[in-house]
Amino acid sequence: MKLTKLEHAALVLEDSGRKLFVDPGSFTTAITDGAQADAIVVTHEHPDHWTPEQLERIRSKSPDVRIFGPQGFATAAAGFDVEVVAAGDTIEVGPFRLEFFGSKHNVIHSSIPVVDNVGVLINGSVYYGGDSYTVPEGVEVDVMAVPAGAPWLKIGDVMDYVLTVKPRRSFPTHEMVLAKAGKEMANTRITWATKQNGGTFFPLAPGDTLDI
């Protein structure tokens, strides 16, 4: 399996010639290579994690693609056939096994509604919690997508999150809101936290890949 990091929170996984997209949102360059896609996972409804245009681009190349996300996302994306998932659900789609964790987005501020959010574990290996610090209990995570910058995020909390999950490998995600200096600072902190349990940090930039 090959993981390719796209801009911001978006990823694409490829296995046996098939693709799985995660969180193709408004801060991600228009996706033009959506052929051979079996599934799209959207962790929550915020537009930096999905847009109708991004979903349509993928669906135009892969008409049978299945779309998964929590109830809040399904309500927001009413024009799409979204299969609602929640913590504890497991889905097999093409060569991909999807396991879901958690239920809510991390708090931004008391004045801002807390929306539904799911984390996803892909093929028992790659874990992304969306906009949350949800820990996939009982899972030895091989590769963790670690949020690096967000309105709801404090880097010390991110470091504790990585220390708790103990991934073998990690890389940054959700960082288009950061300038170059901010990305470098976040990467330094995430590197430290990953190394505390013997893991390796990969400072992936958009377009970079990682073999799983």
Side-chain angles (χ1 to χ4, degrees), residues 13-20 35-38 62 94-96:
L13 283 297
E14 298 177 68
D15 193 350
S16 305
R18 306 300 298 177
K19 296 176 184 175
L20 165 70
Q36 310 301 314
D38 283 323
S62 298
F96 304 104

mmCIF file of all heavy atoms in Angstrom, residues 13-20 35-38 62 94-96:
data_model
loop_
_atom_site.group_PDB
_atom_site.id
_atom_site.type_symbol
_atom_site.label_atom_id
_atom_site.label_comp_id
_atom_site.label_asym_id
_atom_site.label_seq_id
_atom_site.Cartn_x
_atom_site.Cartn_y
_atom_site.Cartn_z
ATOM 1 N N LEU A 13 -4.678 6.776 -0.402
ATOM 2 C CA LEU A 13 -4.043 5.480 -0.225
ATOM 3 C C LEU A 13 -4.286 4.660 -1.482
ATOM 4 O O LEU A 13 -5.404 4.659 -2.023
ATOM 5 C CB LEU A 13 -4.629 4.742 0.972
ATOM 6 C CG LEU A 13 -4.220 5.138 2.402
ATOM 7 C CD1 LEU A 13 -2.736 4.897 2.620
ATOM 8 C CD2 LEU A 13 -4.617 6.548 2.732
ATOM 9 N N GLU A 14 -3.271 3.947 -1.936
ATOM 10 C CA GLU A 14 -3.387 3.092 -3.123
ATOM 11 C C GLU A 14 -2.975 1.679 -2.765
ATOM 12 O O GLU A 14 -1.938 1.455 -2.133
ATOM 13 C CB GLU A 14 -2.511 3.631 -4.249
ATOM 14 C CG GLU A 14 -2.908 5.030 -4.717
ATOM 15 C CD GLU A 14 -1.981 5.576 -5.794
ATOM 16 O OE1 GLU A 14 -1.997 5.030 -6.908
ATOM 17 O OE2 GLU A 14 -1.239 6.519 -5.489
ATOM 18 N N ASP A 15 -3.812 0.718 -3.181
ATOM 19 C CA ASP A 15 -3.545 -0.695 -2.915
ATOM 20 C C ASP A 15 -4.151 -1.510 -4.046
ATOM 21 O O ASP A 15 -5.326 -1.330 -4.390
ATOM 22 C CB ASP A 15 -4.164 -1.105 -1.576
ATOM 23 C CG ASP A 15 -3.679 -2.462 -1.085
ATOM 24 O OD1 ASP A 15 -3.015 -3.179 -1.855
ATOM 25 O OD2 ASP A 15 -3.962 -2.815 0.067
ATOM 26 N N SER A 16 -3.337 -2.366 -4.641
ATOM 27 C CA SER A 16 -3.813 -3.258 -5.710
ATOM 28 C C SER A 16 -4.471 -2.479 -6.841
ATOM 29 O O SER A 16 -5.466 -2.926 -7.435
ATOM 30 C CB SER A 16 -4.785 -4.303 -5.140
ATOM 31 O OG SER A 16 -4.193 -5.011 -4.082
ATOM 32 N N GLY A 17 -3.947 -1.293 -7.138
ATOM 33 C CA GLY A 17 -4.462 -0.490 -8.232
ATOM 34 C C GLY A 17 -5.710 0.301 -7.900
ATOM 35 O O GLY A 17 -6.257 1.010 -8.751
ATOM 36 N N ARG A 18 -6.174 0.216 -6.655
ATOM 37 C CA ARG A 18 -7.367 0.934 -6.239
ATOM 38 C C ARG A 18 -6.996 2.066 -5.286
ATOM 39 O O ARG A 18 -5.918 2.061 -4.683
ATOM 40 C CB ARG A 18 -8.356 -0.012 -5.548
ATOM 41 C CG ARG A 18 -8.707 -1.231 -6.371
ATOM 42 C CD ARG A 18 -9.340 -0.869 -7.709
ATOM 43 N NE ARG A 18 -10.606 -0.152 -7.530
ATOM 44 C CZ ARG A 18 -11.339 0.330 -8.539
ATOM 45 N NH1 ARG A 18 -10.907 0.207 -9.797
ATOM 46 N NH2 ARG A 18 -12.479 0.942 -8.312
ATOM 47 N N LYS A 19 -7.901 3.058 -5.111
ATOM 48 C CA LYS A 19 -7.607 4.242 -4.319
ATOM 49 C C LYS A 19 -8.661 4.477 -3.243
ATOM 50 O O LYS A 19 -9.840 4.162 -3.417
ATOM 51 C CB LYS A 19 -7.539 5.483 -5.207
ATOM 52 C CG LYS A 19 -6.413 5.477 -6.223
ATOM 53 C CD LYS A 19 -6.489 6.710 -7.112
ATOM 54 C CE LYS A 19 -5.435 6.662 -8.204
ATOM 55 N NZ LYS A 19 -5.584 7.791 -9.150
ATOM 56 N N LEU A 20 -8.189 5.064 -2.163
ATOM 57 C CA LEU A 20 -9.040 5.547 -1.086
ATOM 58 C C LEU A 20 -8.630 6.977 -0.783
ATOM 59 O O LEU A 20 -7.458 7.242 -0.495
ATOM 60 C CB LEU A 20 -8.857 4.686 0.161
ATOM 61 C CG LEU A 20 -9.387 5.251 1.481
ATOM 62 C CD1 LEU A 20 -10.905 5.274 1.491
ATOM 63 C CD2 LEU A 20 -8.861 4.447 2.666
ATOM 64 N N ALA A 35 -9.678 8.480 -10.724
ATOM 65 C CA ALA A 35 -10.023 7.180 -11.303
ATOM 66 C C ALA A 35 -9.599 6.049 -10.385
ATOM 67 O O ALA A 35 -8.661 6.187 -9.592
ATOM 68 C CB ALA A 35 -9.351 7.019 -12.668
ATOM 69 N N GLN A 36 -10.311 4.931 -10.467
ATOM 70 C CA GLN A 36 -10.010 3.717 -9.697
ATOM 71 C C GLN A 36 -10.199 3.913 -8.196
ATOM 72 O O GLN A 36 -9.578 3.230 -7.387
ATOM 73 C CB GLN A 36 -8.575 3.232 -9.975
ATOM 74 C CG GLN A 36 -8.198 3.112 -11.434
ATOM 75 C CD GLN A 36 -9.112 2.154 -12.187
ATOM 76 O OE1 GLN A 36 -9.388 1.072 -11.713
ATOM 77 N NE2 GLN A 36 -9.574 2.550 -13.362
ATOM 78 N N ALA A 37 -11.075 4.834 -7.813
ATOM 79 C CA ALA A 37 -11.338 5.079 -6.392
ATOM 80 C C ALA A 37 -12.483 4.199 -5.905
ATOM 81 O O ALA A 37 -13.556 4.167 -6.504
ATOM 82 C CB ALA A 37 -11.667 6.541 -6.150
ATOM 83 N N ASP A 38 -12.239 3.477 -4.826
ATOM 84 C CA ASP A 38 -13.276 2.653 -4.208
ATOM 85 C C ASP A 38 -14.041 3.418 -3.137
ATOM 86 O O ASP A 38 -15.209 3.130 -2.887
ATOM 87 C CB ASP A 38 -12.658 1.404 -3.576
ATOM 88 C CG ASP A 38 -12.310 0.345 -4.603
ATOM 89 O OD1 ASP A 38 -13.059 0.179 -5.568
ATOM 90 O OD2 ASP A 38 -11.267 -0.315 -4.439
ATOM 91 N N SER A 62 -14.874 7.998 -10.972
ATOM 92 C CA SER A 62 -15.183 6.713 -10.319
ATOM 93 C C SER A 62 -16.644 6.757 -9.862
ATOM 94 O O SER A 62 -16.939 6.994 -8.686
ATOM 95 C CB SER A 62 -14.257 6.489 -9.118
ATOM 96 O OG SER A 62 -12.902 6.424 -9.508
ATOM 97 N N GLY A 94 -13.350 -2.759 -1.445
ATOM 98 C CA GLY A 94 -12.187 -3.063 -2.269
ATOM 99 C C GLY A 94 -11.101 -3.685 -1.400
ATOM 100 O O GLY A 94 -11.378 -4.514 -0.524
ATOM 101 N N PRO A 95 -9.842 -3.244 -1.574
ATOM 102 C CA PRO A 95 -8.759 -3.794 -0.756
ATOM 103 C C PRO A 95 -8.593 -3.099 0.588
ATOM 104 O O PRO A 95 -7.618 -3.342 1.301
ATOM 105 C CB PRO A 95 -7.525 -3.561 -1.635
ATOM 106 C CG PRO A 95 -7.844 -2.300 -2.373
ATOM 107 C CD PRO A 95 -9.333 -2.347 -2.639
ATOM 108 N N PHE A 96 -9.543 -2.250 0.945
ATOM 109 C CA PHE A 96 -9.406 -1.430 2.146
ATOM 110 C C PHE A 96 -10.351 -1.878 3.266
ATOM 111 O O PHE A 96 -11.539 -2.109 3.040
ATOM 112 C CB PHE A 96 -9.679 0.038 1.815
ATOM 113 C CG PHE A 96 -8.807 0.577 0.720
ATOM 114 C CD1 PHE A 96 -9.311 0.767 -0.562
ATOM 115 C CD2 PHE A 96 -7.468 0.874 0.958
ATOM 116 C CE1 PHE A 96 -8.506 1.250 -1.585
ATOM 117 C CE2 PHE A 96 -6.656 1.351 -0.053
ATOM 118 C CZ PHE A 96 -7.170 1.541 -1.336
#
